[in-house]
Every structure is written in structure tokens, then in C-alpha cells.
């Protein structure tokens, strides 16, 4: 039975909104059943208790403390039962995630998207919105991408949370999985893609308005650092998904699951997602990712500015594409050993040199930084060859550029591993996997995942702002950085808050900010083992971790 207290006469003048997370206290002696018969409420009566007295609460009295679940218009039955008008579908929110989004993008974002959504198909008309509404289903889809162990109906129940306990005037029961599937098909991918774009745009605006830099390069003109890298995500093996997305590997498309390829564009300092074009897996990784990079430059032109430098791995993007990039922004790209460079200068004072990179009828002038990275316990130092359009060796010394490149791993690899942890099947043996059986629903789920992940990171950034600096240790007295706030812990706290409902945002972020992860521990693994294997036959040598600083040795010191 839910307690739904009515305010006493002492607070009769209160008409403002009840703050999130507030408790209501009332004397136990004042709580009475509202039935005209005067008898107690039975289990099936579906009514709230009411306040029958107005006396002041005094120390030592038995007092009922009630959590505010919803504020709704009352429905009083002839027999005296007090119920609530509406349903959980009209009151449920994504809690802290929407608190962050609405603070950055304005109130009512999801409601506005839902109002513009057009339902398709014959099974859902949207006229009866007691059990499900457009906005409610959008929220369920977003929440579904944060709970990998729950099916869609369980995500719906988690979103309703304690609202399901309220005695609604019209009884509310969670919709079936089939009904939720019909609504997902009726909505299509567009509302979730609109939400994703608003979320990523809000994140970009936040990064432009606040200096989050933990990684930067440049003395007089420091640049913000971003990273991009491709990733594969498995989708269910249905004929429609295989036809739309294909798979990597052999030309006969015989891999167990089709896959889509995405290109997350992230801020290296905070791991925030700023953009994510996607498409079919493609049989050739380089060609597929190059196509996505072209899409990124077309769809996210605001990300490629002269105030940023983009870190990229050895998936060579071609001279013509690099020329288009450097016309807009700055790059620091690692080259494979088989990419020819024509040196056109002497070795510069910092050990770098100027060279020409040619291909596709285009020649690009770049600066080349060659160096070895040596880690204790490593048999052979790893050779790196980086190219950049930054030619001012005083402003951007070669050694500082070489040290900057390690942020590509933090900005892309670590960020992806954290984000994929909320996808079903995540792990070193199986890989992350979406749930949707059609290309349209895959687009919908992927957009929801991107929005949910970035809203969660936004809550973590606010937790970093609210956190008190450490009193001791190497970070004593320094502001807490977003990278020090655990993404997994933030996700769990957000889920708990959504289930509980009406949680105070500041209280939540302060609680999250008390727990820190240790960053920059100089941990190194072989490239082939990005994460420990869960298989028993794997040896320690396969996944050995070395903890030691990397020593950089420039390969082109002047004579």
C-alpha cells in the first residue's frame, strides 16, 4: 500500500513544487483510511491513506516519514477512496540524466521530441496513452541501453519504479514485451536520433564553454585534444541485419554475426562523446572507416576547428583526406611502416623533419616525429612515426607531441571499453552486441546508446565539479577531473536514482564524487590483449600488465 499524504492546514498555503528527494513527515495518529465505512483498507481497495488530524509533531511521537513519489491530481471515489489521476507513463523520467540534459539544453526536451514524433504502422495509433506514451517509450529505449542484463519489459518496470505503487484511478500494469515492440517499431529511429543529436550538441557546447583540458598541446596557443577511432558492434543475425550491415572477414559473409561499424569522436580529456557516424561493417576496415570519416566531416563540421587537434591511429586515411582535414583542423596521425614519406628538410632542432606525403594525385606537406617508446620489461622498444600539420617547433615541440599521442588510447580505447560495458554480451571473448533484429531498430538502439552514454558522462562531469579535492596523495588540493569519476559507478547510481524516482541531483552528484578512480597509472599491455581474457586456458603471459613509465627517445636527433 502506498502512502500518499495530503498537506495539513499548517501548510495549506503551500502551492510550489515539491523538491526532488524531499520527505513528508506526519504523525502516525493522524493517518487514517479514507473509506466512508470507517473500516480499514483491504489489499484490493487501491487507495491512499490520508491525514485525519493537524496537530503539531512533537519530540518522541510516532511519526510516519513518506517519500514523495508523485504529485498528481486526486480522484476521490464515492466510497471515500483517494486515488491519483494519470499513470506512471505521464510521470516517469530518466532522473539525473534528464536533469543534466535539461540544464544544458532547456526543459522538456524529450516531451518536445515526443510531440513531433509520428507513429507508423497499424498496431499503434497513440490515442490510448494510459499504459504507454511516446515520451515514456523513448525513455524506456534509452534506459534499455544502460541495463544489459534486463530485457525491454524489465527496463520499462525499472523506469516506472515506485510510481507503479501509487493507487492510480485507472489501474496501471506494465505493458507486454510485444506491445513495447510494437511501439518501438511505430516510433522508428528518428526520435532517438534527434535526442542523440541534442545530447551530443549539448555536450559539445559544454566543452566549448568550459576548459576541461587535462590533455593539451601548445604554449602560447594551446589546443584542445580529441580522438577518433573505429569500432565494430555486433547485431543479431537476421536476414535484414545481414543484408544491411554485412560483416568483416571473408568475402562470403560467413561470420557468426553481422556487424555495424561506428566512428566515435571523443574529447580525450573527458572521454565525452561528441559525434558518432556509423554504417555497414565493410569487408575492408580502412575503406569503411575512411568513408565514416568523410561522413563525420560532412555531418559534424563544428567539431573540426583550428582550436582542436585530432589524434588518429595507423588506419591510413590517404593524402587527399588528410589535406581536407588539415584545411579545417589540426591532426596528429600515426603512420604504418609501409607509407612512404619524402623528406624535404634537414633534421630540425627538436628532432623532427618536414616531409611530403603523396597519394590520389595530392601531395601534403607534413612534419614528421619519429621516436621509440620503451617500457620496463619490454624486449624491444616500439617505433612510432607521427605526422602533423603543426610545423612550429617552438610552439609545438616534437617531444611534447610524442607525449601527447598516448591520449589517443585514453580518449578512444578506454572510452569505448567503458561505454560498451552497458551493451549485452560485452567482454573480451564475445564482444558487445545490440538487441534489435531490424536495421531501423538497430539505428534506434544505437542512437539511444550514444545518448544514454553521454548523458551518464555528463552526470559524471557534474560530479567532478561537485567533488572535494583530495586531502593527500599526488592529487592533493587539485580539482577533481572527470576521468577520475568511475563511469560504471555513475551508471549504477543513475539507475538506482531512476528506480527510486525524484532524487535530488546535487545530492546524487556529491555522492558520486566521493569515489575516485586512479588515472595515469602507467599500465601497459601488449596491443593484442586490450583486456584480460575470461578463458581459463589463457596464460598470464597473454595478458601480462607492466606498470612503468614509457621512456621516449627521439629517433632523429641532429648530429
Amino acid at each position: 500500500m502506498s502512502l500518499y499524504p495530503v498537506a495539513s492546514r499548517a501548510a495549506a498555503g503551500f502551492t510550489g513544487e515539491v523538491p526532488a528527494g524531499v520527505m513528508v513527515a506526519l504523525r502516525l495518529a493522524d493517518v487514517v483510511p479514507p473509506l466512508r465505512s470507517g473500516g480499514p483498507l483491504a489489499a484490493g481497495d487501491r487507495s491512499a491513506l490520508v491525514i485525519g488530524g493537524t496537530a503539531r509533531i512533537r519530540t518522541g511521537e510516532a511519526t510516519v516519514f513518506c517519500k514523495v513519489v508523485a504529485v498528481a491530481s486526486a480522484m476521490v471515489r464515492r466510497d471515500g477512496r483517494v486515488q491519483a489521476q494519470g499513470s506512471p507513463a505521464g510521470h516517469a523520467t530518466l532522473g539525473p540524466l534528464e536533469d543534466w540534459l535539461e540544464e544544458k539544453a532547456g526543459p522538456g526536451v524529450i516531451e518536445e521530441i515526443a510531440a513531433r514524433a509520428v507513429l507508423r504502422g497499424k498496431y499503434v495509433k497513440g490515442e490510448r496513452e494510459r499504459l504507454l506514451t511516446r515520451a515514456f517509450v523513448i525513455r524506456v529505449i534509452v534506459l534499455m541501453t544502460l541495463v544489459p542484463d534486463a530485457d525491454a519489459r524489465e527496463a520499462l518496470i525499472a523506469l516506472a519504479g515506485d510510481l507503479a505503487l501509487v493507487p492510480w484511478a485507472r489501474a496501471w500494469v506494465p505493458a507486454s514485451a510485444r506491445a513495447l515492440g510494437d511501439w518501438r517499431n511505430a516510433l522508428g529511429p528518428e526520435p532517438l536520433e534527434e535526442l542523440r543529436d541534442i545530447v551530443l550538441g549539448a555536450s559539445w557546447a559544454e566543452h566549448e564553454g568550459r576548459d576541461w583540458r587535462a590533455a593539451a598541446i601548445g604554449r602560447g596557443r594551446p589546443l584542445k585534444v580529441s580522438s577518433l577511432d573505429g569500432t565494430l558492434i555486433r547485431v543479431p543475425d537476421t536476414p535484414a541485419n545481414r543484408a544491411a550491415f554485412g560483416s568483416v572477414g571473408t568475402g562470403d559473409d560467413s561470420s557468426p554475426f553481422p556487424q555495424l561499424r561506428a566512428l566515435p569522436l571523443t574529447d580525450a580529456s573527458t572521454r565525452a562523446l561528441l559525434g558518432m557516424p556509423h554504417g555497414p561493417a565493410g569487408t575492408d576496415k580502412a575503406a569503411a572507416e575512411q568513408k565514416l570519416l568523410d561522413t563525420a566531416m560532412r555531418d559534424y563540421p563544428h567539431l573540426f576547428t583550428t582550436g582542436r587537434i585530432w589524434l588518429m591511429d595507423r588506419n591510413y586515411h590517404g593524402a587527399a583526406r588528410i589535406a581536407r582535414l588539415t584545411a579545417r583542423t589540426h591532426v596528429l596521425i600515426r603512420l604504418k611502416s609501409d607509407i612512404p614519406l619524402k623528406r624535404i628538410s634537414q633534421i630540425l632542432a627538436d628532432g623532427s623533419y618536414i616531409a611530403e606525403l603523396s597519394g590520389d594525385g595530392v601531395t601534403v606537406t607534413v612534419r614528421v616525429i619519429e621516436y621509440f617508446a620503451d617500457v620496463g620489461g619490454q624486449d624491444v622498444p616500439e617505433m612510432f612515426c607521427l605526422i602533423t600539420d603543426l610545423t612550429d617547433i617552438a610552439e609545438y615541440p616534437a617531444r611534447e607531441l610524442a607525449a601527447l599521442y598516448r591520449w589517443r588510447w585514453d580518449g578512444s580505447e578506454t572510452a569505448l571499453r567503458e561505454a560498451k560495458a552497458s551493451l549485452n554480451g560485452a567482454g573480451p571473448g564475445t564482444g558487445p552486441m545490440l538487441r534489435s533484429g531490424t536495421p531501423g531498430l538497430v539505428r534506434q538502439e544505437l542512437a539511444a546508446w550514444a545518448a544514454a552514454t553521454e548523458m551518464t558522462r555528463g552526470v559524471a562531469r557534474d560530479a567532478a565539479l561537485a567533488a572535494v579535492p583530495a586531502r593527500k596523495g599526488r592529487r592533493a588540493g587539485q580539482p577533481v577531473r572527470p576521468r577520475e569519476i568511475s563511469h560504471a559507478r555513475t551508471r549504477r547510481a543513475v539507475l538506482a536514482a531512476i528506480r527510486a524516482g525524484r532524487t535530488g541531483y546535487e545530492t546524487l552528484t556529491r555522492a558520486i564524487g566521493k569515489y575516485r578512480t586512479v588515472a595515469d597509472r602507467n599500465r601497459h599491455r601488449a596491443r593484442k590483449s586490450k583486456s584480460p581474457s575470461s578463458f581459463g586456458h589463457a596464460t598470464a603471459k597473454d595478458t601480462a600488465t607492466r606498470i612503468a613509465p614509457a621512456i621516449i627517445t627521439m629517433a632523429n636527433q641532429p648530429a
Side-chain angles (χ1 to χ4, degrees):
M1 184 186 303
S2 297
L3 301 182
Y4 193 85
V6 181
S8 67
R9 284 198 298 267
F14 179 77
T15 58
E17 182 179 353
V18 178
V22 74
M23 300 290 288
V24 176
L26 55 143
R27 296 193 319 150
L28 178 60
D30 293 338
V31 179
V32 295
L35 299 182
R36 292 183 180 274
S37 63
L41 285 172
D45 282 337
R46 290 185 50 250
S47 175
L49 298 175
V50 297
I51 298 175
T54 60
R56 183 183 299 275
I57 297 175
R58 300 187 183 280
T59 301
E61 283 189 297
T63 304
V64 179
F65 292 88
C66 309
K67 181 182 75 172
V68 176
V69 175
V71 176
S73 299
M75 170 69 75
V76 182
R77 301 295 185 181
R78 290 184 178 181
D79 60 2
R81 287 178 299 156
V82 178
Q83 298 174 333
Q85 296 184 23
S87 76
H91 290 265
T93 73
L94 292 171
L97 302 185
E98 285 191 63
D99 289 338
W100 175 85
L101 177 60
E102 294 189 353
E103 196 275 329
K104 298 295 185 295
V109 172
I110 291 181
E111 277 70 20
E112 291 178 3
I113 293 173
R116 292 190 290 269
V118 177
L119 299 179
R120 295 167 291 191
K122 60 181 180 179
Y123 298 107
V124 176
K125 302 300 182 183
E127 297 169 356
R128 297 181 62 215
E129 294 192 334
R130 178 169 60 89
L131 300 183
L132 295 174
T133 66
R134 292 169 173 85
F136 187 74
V137 174
I138 289 173
R139 292 181 171 103
V140 170
I141 298 169
V142 171
L143 184 58
M144 182 180 70
T145 65
L146 293 177
V147 283
D149 297 328
D151 61 26
R153 189 170 186 269
E154 290 170 329
L156 183 151
I157 294 171
L159 179 62
D162 289 347
L163 287 167
L165 304 176
V166 173
W168 299 101
R170 297 184 64 185
W172 184 86
V173 293
S176 66
R178 178 175 179 178
L180 188 56
D182 289 342
W183 271 85
R184 285 191 63 194
N185 280 299
L187 274 175
E190 291 82 8
L192 275 301
E193 290 177 337
E194 183 179 355
L195 175 62
R196 174 204 61 200
D197 292 342
I198 292 173
V199 169
L200 299 189
S203 181
W204 167 256
E206 179 185 349
H207 281 74
E208 287 295 281
R210 178 179 293 276
D211 191 354
W212 287 110
R213 284 178 298 186
I217 187 70
R219 301 180 178 182
R221 300 184 301 276
L223 304 174
K224 295 180 179 179
V225 182
S226 291
S227 177
L228 63 86
D229 196 10
T231 185
L232 288 171
I233 302 176
R234 301 186 307 161
V235 296
D237 190 12
T238 63
N241 280 348
R242 193 169 283 277
F245 301 111
S247 61
V248 299
T250 57
D252 58 1
D253 195 25
S254 60
S255 61
F257 290 95
Q259 300 154 314
L260 66 85
R261 190 179 297 277
L263 187 70
L265 312 169
T266 59
D267 181 88
S269 295
T270 64
R271 302 172 187 160
L273 183 65
L274 305 176
M276 192 174 72
H278 63 88
T283 56
D284 181 73
K285 174 182 178 180
E289 291 192 8
Q290 289 166 7
K291 185 175 181 180
L292 290 180
L293 181 53
D294 291 337
T295 302
M297 287 190 284
R298 182 194 69 209
D299 294 348
Y300 303 97
H302 58 284
L303 299 184
F304 299 95
T305 66
T306 56
R308 282 191 176 263
I309 182 170
W310 287 87
L311 310 181
M312 305 182 201
D313 202 4
R314 290 180 290 188
N315 184 28
Y316 180 58
H317 295 289
R321 193 168 286 101
I322 292 173
R324 292 201 299 274
L325 276 169
T326 55
R328 305 178 177 191
T329 188
H330 303 293
V331 299
L332 186 64
I333 306 172
R334 186 179 180 185
L335 288 188
K336 293 181 178 180
S337 58
D338 59 350
I339 304 299
L341 289 166
K342 180 182 178 182
R343 198 176 81 181
I344 59 174
S345 78
Q346 299 295 319
I347 302 298
L348 304 177
D350 65 348
S352 62
Y353 61 89
I354 306 299
E356 290 181 343
L357 178 67
S358 299
D360 302 321
V362 175
T363 297
V364 185
T365 300
V366 295
R367 180 169 157 226
V368 183
I369 301 105
E370 294 178 341
Y371 63 98
F372 291 99
D374 190 11
V375 180
Q378 182 174 282
D379 294 333
V380 180
E382 186 173 5
M383 176 68 180
F384 286 76
C385 177
L386 308 180
I387 62 169
T388 181
D389 62 303
L390 300 172
T391 57
D392 188 339
I393 65 173
E395 181 76 11
Y396 309 104
R399 188 171 294 275
E400 292 183 12
L401 287 168
L404 180 72
Y405 186 71
R406 72 175 183 86
W407 284 88
R408 192 206 67 81
W409 186 273
D410 198 90
S412 287
E413 302 286 358
T414 304
L416 273 172
R417 184 179 175 186
E418 287 180 342
K420 285 183 177 180
S422 63
L423 296 182
N424 190 37
T430 57
M433 185 170 181
L434 301 180
R435 317 175 190 216
S436 304
T438 64
L441 292 188
V442 166
R443 281 177 50 196
Q444 181 191 81
E445 185 180 354
L446 187 69
W449 172 62
T453 298
E454 186 48 35
M455 284 191 284
T456 303
R457 291 202 191 280
V459 173
R461 291 194 295 273
D462 283 351
L465 289 174
V468 177
R471 294 183 178 181
K472 56 184 179 179
R474 59 176 181 163
R475 295 283 302 164
Q478 300 182 43
V480 178
R481 299 172 299 188
R483 295 166 56 247
E484 298 175 57
I485 303 298
S486 168
H487 182 74
R489 184 181 290 274
T490 303
R491 179 167 61 90
R492 291 194 297 268
V494 163
L495 293 175
I498 291 172
R499 291 186 178 99
R502 297 184 64 82
T503 302
Y505 186 71
E506 292 183 2
T507 302
L508 178 75
T509 52
R510 283 198 301 268
I512 294 172
K514 293 179 180 178
Y515 301 93
R516 321 284 169 79
T517 58
V518 180
D520 305 322
R521 290 178 288 175
N522 293 318
R523 292 162 55 90
H524 305 275
R525 282 198 187 103
R527 183 177 177 84
K528 63 182 179 181
S529 58
K530 295 182 180 179
S531 60
S533 175
S534 60
F535 298 110
H537 63 266
T539 65
K541 184 177 179 181
D542 294 331
T543 57
T545 300
R546 297 183 296 277
I547 300 178
I551 299 173
I552 294 175
T553 304
M554 301 305 297
N556 289 296
Q557 291 293 344

